[in-house]
Amino acid sequence: MQTFIFKHFNDLIVQQLYDLLQLREEVFQLEQNCLYKDVDDKDKDCYHLLLYKDAELVAYSRLVPEGISYEGYVSIGRVVSKTKYRKEGLGKLLMTETIQQMEKIFPNTPIKISAQKYLQKFYESYGFATVGEWYMEDDIPHIAMIKSSN
């Protein structure tokens, strides 16, 4: 059974915080071999969307209020899914729910993201448009993308 949990940082229970930090480390640091400060002082101001399959966290995203990552934009970050579940469509399920939650809590505010370049078409399918040229971030090609507010 799949279950979404959507909470502000202050409302997360310790196990949920542990789960999301463990999943981010597993994918971003270990799988992608990127050393960067994952716990970056933004988490405490953000909302967190966790997708559990039974008791296991299988996908996650961070919903960032305006002015924290970008002036004039809200943002989505730390989008991640567990390796063994990537062919099950959880990324699409997660992104659909993430955008719905963004529109509820941050209405009429455009969304800006820094997407890994290989996921450009995935984000375009959700209405994001490329802004500028690609760039390197943590030794991975990225592209800035914006989704206009509804």
Side-chain angles (χ1 to χ4, degrees), residues 8-126:
H8 188 272
F9 179 83
N10 295 332
D11 299 320
L12 291 168
I13 63 171
V14 172
Q15 185 63 51
Q16 293 162 345
L17 179 60
Y18 181 83
D19 291 347
L20 74 87
L21 291 173
Q22 186 177 49
L23 179 58
R24 287 173 12 183
E25 178 186 57
E26 180 183 311
V27 174
F28 299 132
Q29 272 83 32
L30 301 176
E31 179 186 324
Q32 296 181 352
N33 196 29
C34 287
L35 293 177
Y36 66 94
K37 188 176 180 185
D38 181 53
V39 180
D40 59 4
D41 293 325
K42 293 181 183 181
D43 286 314
K44 62 186 178 208
D45 296 316
C46 295
Y47 293 85
H48 303 269
L49 182 62
L50 301 92
L51 176 56
Y52 282 89
K53 185 172 185 177
D54 300 317
E56 182 179 14
L57 181 63
V58 295
Y60 163 84
S61 64
R62 178 169 80 175
L63 291 73
V64 185
E66 187 271 330
I68 293 176
S69 290
Y70 306 103
E71 287 302 320
Y73 299 93
V74 294
S75 188
I76 301 167
R78 303 295 198 259
V79 178
V80 63
S81 61
K82 198 162 214 148
T83 307
K84 68 181 180 180
Y85 295 104
R86 291 206 183 129
K87 300 297 182 194
E88 295 185 19
L90 298 178
K92 292 178 182 178
L93 189 64
L94 177 71
M95 188 51 54
T96 298
E97 183 69 19
T98 298
I99 291 171
Q100 287 174 356
Q101 291 295 342
M102 293 293 279
E103 290 171 350
K104 277 189 213 172
I105 60 173
F106 307 120
N108 306 312
T109 309
I111 304 168
K112 185 173 184 178
I113 62 173
S114 178
Q116 291 185 2
K117 180 101 172 71
Y118 83 97
L119 291 168
Q120 181 176 346
K121 291 201 182 309
F122 173 77
Y123 288 113
E124 286 174 346
S125 74
Y126 288 92

